[in-house]
């Protein structure tokens, strides 16, 4: 090698890039510590679905407040998961409500919804008010059609009874089951009782038949089917616990609702 090149520094031989010697290295942050600090700055998104990260200071559940916080009960977003169902799910649950051997309670165990019960109850309110008046007209027009008048009170009665039954009765049985040692879920009870009313929607159409004997047969069959639906699903809920008195009471109350529909709206 030429003598002139021999006297040049090593950096000139490496293309103006200084070589990093072992003694020149600065102490760095350990790998584990660096990873931890980055996770503290950008923690992973909740839910385990592999979706990015959330900014520091953001709530753990996005827009939905923590259910442990009582303020979450006054937030509309807290109830959004109970309406997160598609048409196929609702139709499948409607079919299971008229075919109770299909394991309805196991279907709503993971994802109970309030969308179906809300629209079932609302539809039933309007159908009872409208068809109740029409059925009364069909029965009375044979005698004296001039004496018939549209009864607006049917709507207020239907709304009070149906909404009250769908909200209060499941809540009462929820506390009774808890008192006797079972561990039910209130939202699942509301969901189950709401879908149990679906059978009365086609029954209210059939009750337009102006034959009193057929009307009693129709309401007895629909009331029995709805009561049987409640019994089977409450058995699945109690998981073998001895709650037959409460289950029988719920079935009797369900059948009493069917009799009330017949006597008050389709007399």
């Amino acid at each position: 090698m030429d003598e002139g090149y021999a006297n040049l520094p090593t950096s000139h031989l490496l293309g103006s890039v200084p070589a990093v010697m072992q003694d020149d290295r600065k102490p760095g942050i350990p790998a584990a510590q660096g990873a931890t600090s980055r996770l503290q700055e950008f923690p992973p998104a909740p839910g385990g679905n592999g979706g990015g990260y959330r900014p520091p200071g953001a709530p753990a559940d996005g827009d939905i407040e923590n259910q442990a916080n009582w303020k979450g009960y006054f937030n509309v977003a807290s109830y959004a998961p109970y309406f997160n169902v598609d048409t196929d799910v609702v139709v499948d649950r409607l079919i299971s409500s008229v075919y109770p051997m299909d394991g309805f309670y196991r279907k709503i165990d993971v994802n109970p919804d309030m969308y179906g019960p809300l629209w079932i109850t609302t539809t039933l309110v309007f159908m009872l008010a409208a068809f109740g008046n029409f059925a009364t007209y069909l029965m009375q027009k044979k005698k004296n059609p001039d004496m018939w008048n549209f009864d607006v009170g049917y709507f207020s009665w239907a709304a009070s009874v149906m909404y009250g039954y769908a909200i209060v009765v499941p809540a009462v049985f929820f506390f009774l089951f808890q008192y006797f040692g079972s561990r039910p879920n209130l939202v699942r009870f509301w969901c189950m009782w709401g879908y149990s009313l679906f059978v009365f929607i086609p029954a209210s159409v059939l009750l337009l038949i102006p034959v009193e004997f057929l009307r009693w047969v129709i309401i007895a069959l629909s009331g029995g089917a709805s009561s049987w639906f409640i019994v089977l699903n409450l058995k699945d809920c109690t998981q073998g616990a001895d709650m037959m008195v409460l289950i029988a009471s719920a079935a009797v109350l369900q059948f009493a609702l069917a009799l009330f529909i017949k006597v008050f709206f389709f007399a």
Side-chain angles (χ1 to χ4, degrees), residues 119-134:
W119 284 109
I120 289 171
T121 309
T122 303
T123 303
L124 186 59
V125 167
F126 282 96
M127 293 186 72
L128 289 179
F131 291 169
N133 276 284
F134 189 49

Side-chain angles (χ1 to χ4, degrees), residues 84-104:
N84 186 23
V85 289
D86 54 20
T87 305
D88 294 335
V89 173
V90 175
V91 170
D92 180 62
R93 293 178 178 183
L94 291 177
I95 295 173
S96 298
S97 68
V98 296
Y99 181 65
M101 304 300 292
D102 199 22
F104 176 85

Side-chain angles (χ1 to χ4, degrees), residues 3 76 137 150 251 257:
E3 240 179 68
V76 177
Y137 168 76
F150 186 87
L257 176 66

Side-chain angles (χ1 to χ4, degrees), residues 82-83 85 89-90 93 108 111-117 187 191 195:
Y82 301 118
F83 294 85
V85 289
V89 173
V90 175
R93 293 178 178 183
I108 67 171
N111 182 29
D113 73 284
M114 298 303 298
Y115 180 87
V187 177
C191 180
Y195 278 98

Side-chain angles (χ1 to χ4, degrees), residues 50 92 122-123 185 188 207 231 266:
D92 180 62
T122 303
T123 303
N185 182 278
R188 292 186 180 91
L207 287 173
V231 169
F266 299 93

Side-chain angles (χ1 to χ4, degrees), residues 100 103-106 231-240 247:
F104 176 85
Y105 198 82
R106 289 190 295 272
V231 169
L232 291 182
N233 287 282
L234 285 180
K235 284 184 177 179
D236 290 342
C237 166
T238 55
Q239 297 178 353
I247 294 175

Side-chain angles (χ1 to χ4, degrees), residues 2 16 24 26 43 54 63 66 77 96 98 157 159 164 177 198 237 242 244 253 257 260 264:
D2 190 88
S16 302
D24 295 335
K26 296 181 180 179
R54 61 179 175 88
D63 294 333
N66 191 351
S96 298
V98 296
W157 271 100
F177 272 74
F198 173 71
C237 166
D242 189 10
M244 286 307 300
L253 196 58
L257 176 66
F260 173 81
F264 190 85

Side-chain angles (χ1 to χ4, degrees), residues 139 142 206-221 262 266-267:
M139 294 295 291
K142 299 177 181 178
L206 297 176
L207 287 173
L208 290 175
I209 301 174
V211 179
E212 191 66 12
F213 172 75
L214 288 179
R215 286 182 173 181
W216 281 107
V217 172
I218 291 167
I219 202 64
L221 292 176
K262 168 64 182 72
F266 299 93

